[in-house]
Amino acid sequence: GAAFGANSSTVVLTTSPLANNISYGLFVKDIADRAGAGNKLTPNPTLVSVDTLQGRLLVETFTGIGGGTSVADLTSSASFIANKPNLTRYATNFEYTPNLDNYGARMSGLVIAPETGNYIFFLCSDDNSALYLSTDDTSANKKLIARETAWSNPRQWLTSGGSSVLNDKRSDKFTASEWPGGGANVVLTAGKRYYVTAWFMEGGGGDGIYLQWKLPGAAAVTVISNSVMTFA
């Protein structure tokens, strides 16, 4: 199926299930503008490569959102409600800095726990953001486990460039955590996949979102910069 996306120059295609790690070819043929059939896409047909990748995070960007810096400004926007991002890309790590203004973004994927134990997640962004982790590999069971309430500089896990509530930026001290048993009990099982997603909103100036975790075996909470996440 094909339908217009966020505007009349964006088309969203709905397909049957696609296999992972496969490069597909999409043929686009006889597409003309409204001025007449003579103004067709060149070359005609055009071949576009579409790849399905494992080990990646889906990054969806919703542009043209003005009026605020809260996550609610993103979730109440027409494009987010319609699930029609203006830009879509894939990332290998949980960081995103497109250097834009007045936009929101959603990063999502499946993270694999390397060992069994209690994890601490650290979130920072510019501007506000919310981090959700599922108790399994589905989005239906996602729980809010951390949030950025103001803004922070890149990878500023334990402090803030603005007036952020520091405890809210880390899952073990976030008092409004929805995780069963509270945020201090985010126990993950080795080899298991967990759905994770972060939503954030940017007004103006600097922008970006960054996520990191502390493994159960790490000796100190400050040792978090080298805890690489692996995605399914």
Side-chain angles (χ1 to χ4, degrees), residues 7-191:
N7 51 59
S8 60
S9 63
T10 302
V11 175
V12 177
L13 301 179
T14 302
T15 75
S16 56
L18 304 179
N20 285 321
N21 290 331
I22 297 294
S23 181
Y24 291 89
L26 173 66
F27 282 94
V28 183
K29 184 180 179 183
D30 294 336
I31 300 298
D33 64 22
R34 294 179 179 178
N39 298 323
K40 291 184 179 180
L41 180 71
T42 303
N44 186 31
T46 291
L47 175 62
V48 181
S49 177
V50 180
D51 298 319
T52 59
L53 303 174
Q54 288 183 316
R56 302 290 191 273
L57 290 160
L58 175 63
V59 184
E60 300 166 291
T61 305
F62 303 83
T63 61
I65 305 174
T69 60
S70 71
V71 175
D73 290 311
L74 166 63
T75 58
S76 63
S77 67
S79 56
F80 189 91
I81 293 172
N83 196 27
K84 293 181 177 180
N86 305 95
L87 302 170
T88 301
R89 64 181 293 269
Y90 294 90
T92 57
N93 63 347
F94 218 115
E95 297 187 357
Y96 183 47
T97 309
N99 196 23
L100 300 171
D101 289 330
N102 300 313
Y103 76 96
R106 175 173 58 198
M107 299 185 71
S108 55
L110 297 173
V111 65
I112 302 174
E115 57 186 275
T116 298
N118 201 327
Y119 287 74
I120 302 175
F121 287 77
F122 295 84
L123 177 70
C124 66
S125 60
D126 185 352
D127 292 294
N128 292 195
S129 62
L131 173 65
Y132 297 88
L133 180 69
S134 178
T135 54
D136 55 27
D137 59 359
T138 69
S139 62
N141 293 315
K142 70 180 186 297
K143 311 295 181 183
L144 179 67
I145 63 167
R147 66 187 175 194
E148 170 73 71
T149 59
W151 66 273
S152 298
N153 294 307
R155 305 181 192 89
Q156 194 175 22
W157 313 115
L158 304 177
T159 56
S160 172
S163 56
S164 307
V165 178
L166 298 184
N167 283 351
D168 287 7
K169 295 172 53 172
R170 47 188 295 172
S171 60
D172 63 328
K173 294 187 177 182
F174 179 39
T175 57
S177 175
E178 297 174 348
W179 192 259
N185 300 287
V186 181
V187 177
L188 307 182
T189 303

